[in-house]
Amino acid sequence: MQALMMNSQLMISSILKHAEKNFPEVEMVSVTVDSPRHRQTYKTFAKRCRQLANALSALGAEFGDRIGTLAWNDFRHMELYYGVSGSGMVCHTINPKLFPEQVAYIINHAEDKILFVDVLVMPLLEALKDHLSKVETIVVMTDRAHMPESTLPNVVCYEELLAEQSDEYEWPQFDENTASGMCYTSGTTGHPKGVVYSHRSTLLHALSGALPDVTTASNMETTLPVVPMFHVNAWGAPYAALMVGMKMVLPGPKMADGETLTDLMTSEEVTFSSGVPTIWLALLDYLAANNKTIPSLARVSVGGAACPRIIVERFREQHNCTVVQGWGMTETSPLGTIFSLKKGMENYSDEQMTDLQCLQGRGVFGIEMCIVDENNEELPWDGEAFGALKVRGPWVAKGYFGLSDVPGNEECPVDEKGWFNTGDVATISPDGFLQITDRTKDVIKSGGEWISSIEIENAAVNHEDIAEAAVIGRYHPKWTERPLLICVLQEGKSLSSEEVLEFLRGKLHKMAVPDGVEFVDELPHTATGKLNKLGLRKTFADYEFPAA
Ligand code: AMP
């Protein structure tokens, strides 16, 4: 028997329409290159999104076209989130901090037709000028007064483009499984891979993210996502905030600047913020050095990398603020698990509470998770057994753009049972708290950005005195994780750490140059002859970097 309910498609434009009708007066405050404190209401925002939709069609963009963005967190980037997806195109957010070759690869692979870029990103595009094959127009996200000089063809000013357009536009209705957004991840080996979100996955993810036990999103709250809008849709904040009419404060290019963040959060009375551990460590240091606090800030969510205990403790003790740790991936939109209490835990001591907050949190509805052994057999949730973490659900990727999505195929991250293999190793407690204990994927995450260990190993073995090299990530107090290079030297040769580092400096991106070099007689290998990184990570479990 068929149900008799309306089959309304879940559309990103429906969030915008809801916010405009119900919360027209709510503000969106931004820092941009052209304004230190730009303010607009959701009513104005919705109007400008419609102008943008008209502008896209005037530029020749069509349903399904990829529209790239290289931008920070601000109101114009928000307009692209809604204007692009709402009109049936794909909002492809790109991290401007990646290596230029990676940025070019990503733009070309996605076949971006139009790029919307921040003024500060223009020098990068100038450098890539001869490498962007499909891009027809570049729109600089600023006003006429701040337009940079450019040698690029077809460069347009965002504000002029919008000013020419009518604010009348009917958001189209289409299948909710249509692609709405794209984000490439370099958290896997080989080239960056494109994750493609749908209207349906984005809406369901935002609904789940707005639940009281997840972010307590509400019209009573003010949020400042420090997590960039070029990385997994700023963890869904741009959608969840408008769903509930939450005031948004967007730090623009100033996201790593303690003074700007403190000033913005204090004056705009921000109650909730989200970001990677490195950001919070820097902010806590700034607050301590300047004897300041942010009275309104009640909760911060931390994710993207394991949250060091010191962050939880300092926020609680010095700022009366609760740390909520979450785990997720680009491929999981990203919400997978998040810290939330179960009845009875509210009376825990500070020590017990901190222990819980240092875990990766509990699964939210919509995400199923399991841990498996090497035979793909499920392991118990006893907090002891650890295995490969797998997840599935409506906002988990089933494949990558342009690669096979047939389960079991080596290009596809999903197994025959429909589980997505995260590449993380974890335990799960009887209460459902996830603890990430290791990683099987061969990449290092430093300050929220991925570094390829293979790239460093390849560069190192190019030295004639190095016979074999392995790179693992080790804990670092500022960056959470930094690369440690472990070398086996050729018979009879000797090298110092500094000599190895000097050799690598010209060959690797600055962030990829290891923070430590160790020498061993031999490296551990698995039965199939591969480097046994799990073994190496055990051997170097207590390693401390020299400069730390
Ligand atoms: P990305 O796709 O760049 O967002 O990276 C996702 C990966 O970051 C995960 O697979 C984990 O390896 C790591 N990660 C994310 N959140 C956490 C966390 N709370 N604790 C430990 N690792 C995390």
Side-chain angles (χ1 to χ4, degrees):
M1 178 174 149
Q2 279 288 313
L4 287 169
M5 304 308 283
M6 292 183 189
N7 187 17
S8 306
Q9 298 296 287
L10 303 176
M11 298 273 96
I12 286 177
S13 57
S14 70
I15 309 177
L16 183 65
K17 290 198 269 188
H18 176 75
E20 184 181 16
K21 276 257 184 236
N22 294 279
F23 308 106
E25 73 294 350
V26 172
E27 277 190 315
M28 183 181 287
V29 181
S30 313
V31 176
T32 63
V33 169
D34 45 270
S35 168
R37 196 74 67 100
H38 174 277
R39 319 185 82 87
Q40 72 180 3
T41 60
Y42 282 177
K43 185 176 172 153
T44 309
F45 172 71
K47 178 180 141 225
R48 283 170 56 91
C49 289
R50 292 193 294 272
Q51 286 177 296
L52 176 63
N54 284 323
L56 287 165
S57 111
L59 289 175
E62 289 171 4
F63 193 82
D65 277 347
R66 267 76 71 200
I67 310 295
T69 70
L70 286 139
W72 315 110
N73 295 10
D74 67 25
F75 67 101
R76 295 190 183 103
H77 208 176
M78 285 291 300
E79 287 160 8
L80 285 155
Y81 266 47
Y82 283 92
V84 171
S85 307
S87 50
M89 292 149 213
V90 184
C91 183
H92 172 207
T93 55
I94 306 158
N95 180 351
K97 295 194 294 179
L98 293 175
F99 305 144
E101 312 84 73
Q102 276 186 326
V103 172
Y105 172 86
I106 289 172
I107 292 172
N108 290 330
H109 191 262
E111 300 183 5
D112 290 336
K113 189 167 185 177
I114 304 173
L115 291 180
F116 283 79
V117 300
D118 193 276
V119 178
L120 299 174
V121 182
M122 281 303 275
L124 169 68
L125 282 199
E126 296 279 351
L128 297 178
K129 188 165 125 182
D130 300 326
H131 304 281
L132 305 178
S133 49
K134 297 268 171 31
V135 175
E136 292 175 8
T137 312
I138 293 172
V139 184
V140 188
M141 297 160 70
T142 189
D143 53 17
R144 173 46 56 191
H146 294 85
M147 278 296 280
E149 293 284 321
S150 174
T151 61
L152 292 159
N154 295 333
V155 172
V156 177
C157 164
Y158 185 93
E159 288 303 329
E160 284 184 346
L161 181 68
L162 248 62
E164 289 162 7
Q165 301 301 327
S166 151
D167 62 13
E168 282 185 25
Y169 181 84
E170 199 61 48
W171 297 107
Q173 298 293 307
F174 42 84
D175 178 1
E176 63 187 15
N177 291 302
T178 304
S180 62
M182 243 177 138
C183 184
Y184 276 68
T185 175
S186 32
T188 48
T189 43
H191 281 304
K193 296 187 174 76
V195 177
V196 186
Y197 308 111
S198 67
H199 284 255
R200 174 185 155 82
S201 73
T202 305
L203 250 88
L204 292 174
H205 176 265
L207 271 175
S208 178
L211 286 172
D213 267 351
V214 181
T215 59
T216 57
S218 132
N219 180 237
M220 302 294 154
E221 305 276 332
T222 297
T223 185
L224 187 154
V226 189
V227 52
M229 288 172 70
F230 56 70
H231 184 79
V232 217
N233 298 328
W235 299 349
Y239 306 109
L242 267 76
M243 254 178 195
V244 299
M246 185 153 66
K247 174 179 165 184
M248 292 190 88
V249 183
L250 302 162
K254 300 282 190 179
M255 55 194 181
D257 173 8
E259 186 175 350
T260 306
L261 282 186
T262 305
D263 188 35
L264 269 177
M265 288 187 183
T266 309
S267 55
E268 300 296 339
E269 300 187 341
V270 169
T271 56
F272 176 72
S273 188
S274 44
V276 296
T278 303
I279 291 285
W280 299 125
L281 286 169
L283 181 68
L284 286 164
D285 285 347
Y286 169 82
L287 292 172
N290 294 280
N291 203 14
K292 289 185 179 172
T293 191
I294 303 166
S296 56
L297 192 64
R299 284 158 68 89
V300 295
S301 88
V302 184
C307 176
R309 197 174 180 92
I310 191 84
I311 293 186
V312 180
E313 290 171 347
R314 285 173 74 183
F315 264 119
R316 175 192 298 119
E317 288 158 18
Q318 297 163 10
H319 304 287
N320 193 22
C321 175
T322 305
V323 166
V324 185
Q325 178 168 192
W327 168 92
M329 308 177 66
T330 308
E331 292 92 329
T332 64
S333 299
L335 182 57
T337 61
I338 196 151
F339 168 77
S340 69
L341 291 181
K342 281 180 117 173
K343 218 172 167 58
M345 292 174 175
E346 64 277 18
N347 301 321
Y348 273 17
S349 67
D350 283 354
E351 191 68 16
Q352 285 173 306
M353 200 61 91
T354 306
D355 288 346
L356 277 188
Q357 286 164 291
C358 288
L359 303 175
Q360 273 71 21
R362 298 194 292 117
V364 297
F365 171 74
I367 291 284
E368 253 186 289
M369 58 181 184
C370 71
I371 43 175
V372 298
D373 64 15
E374 36 315 329
N375 301 319
N376 211 13
E377 296 296 333
E378 276 199 48
L379 293 165
W381 291 22
D382 59 8
E384 305 265 318
F386 60 90
L389 174 66
K390 298 193 168 192
V391 293
R392 63 184 175 198
W395 56 83
V396 178
K398 68 179 174 108
Y400 296 104
F401 183 60
L403 297 176
S404 167
D405 63 355
V406 176
N409 183 300
E410 63 171 24
E411 291 178 348
C412 177
V414 174
D415 70 16
E416 278 87 356
K417 292 183 188 161
W419 290 99
F420 176 91
N421 191 0
T422 66
D424 288 322
V425 177
T427 64
I428 305 175
S429 76
D431 280 319
F433 277 88
L434 178 76
Q435 181 171 24
I436 303 288
T437 56
D438 208 337
R439 220 180 255 152
T440 55
K441 50 193 170 190
D442 210 1
V443 273
I444 293 156
K445 209 168 190 196
S446 174
E449 305 281 344
W450 289 109
I451 295 173
S452 158
S453 53
I454 295 168
E455 196 187 326
I456 309 174
E457 287 158 8
N458 288 345
V461 293
N462 274 332
H463 192 297
E464 55 184 10
D465 294 344
I466 298 178
E468 200 180 8
V471 172
I472 53 171
R474 287 296 77 191
Y475 175 72
H476 186 283
K478 177 168 178 203
W479 300 104
T480 320
E481 203 172 65
R482 290 290 303 148
L484 164 67
L485 169 65
I486 305 154
C487 302
V488 178
L489 294 180
Q490 301 284 10
E491 264 308 309
K493 297 291 177 187
S494 77
L495 275 178
S496 69
S497 304
E498 190 42 42
E499 283 168 324
V500 176
L501 292 176
E502 196 43 46
F503 174 78
L504 293 175
R505 273 187 198 114
K507 302 180 176 60
L508 295 170
H509 189 271
K510 203 168 115 228
M511 280 304 279
V513 175
D515 276 28
V517 182
E518 290 292 312
F519 300 96
V520 292
D521 291 337
E522 61 179 328
L523 288 167
H525 292 91
T526 63
T528 53
K530 285 190 193 156
L531 276 172
N532 178 358
K533 297 251 176 126
L534 295 180
L536 266 182
R537 283 196 279 265
K538 266 194 200 123
T539 312
F540 287 90
D542 300 323
Y543 179 82
E544 283 182 26
F545 287 109

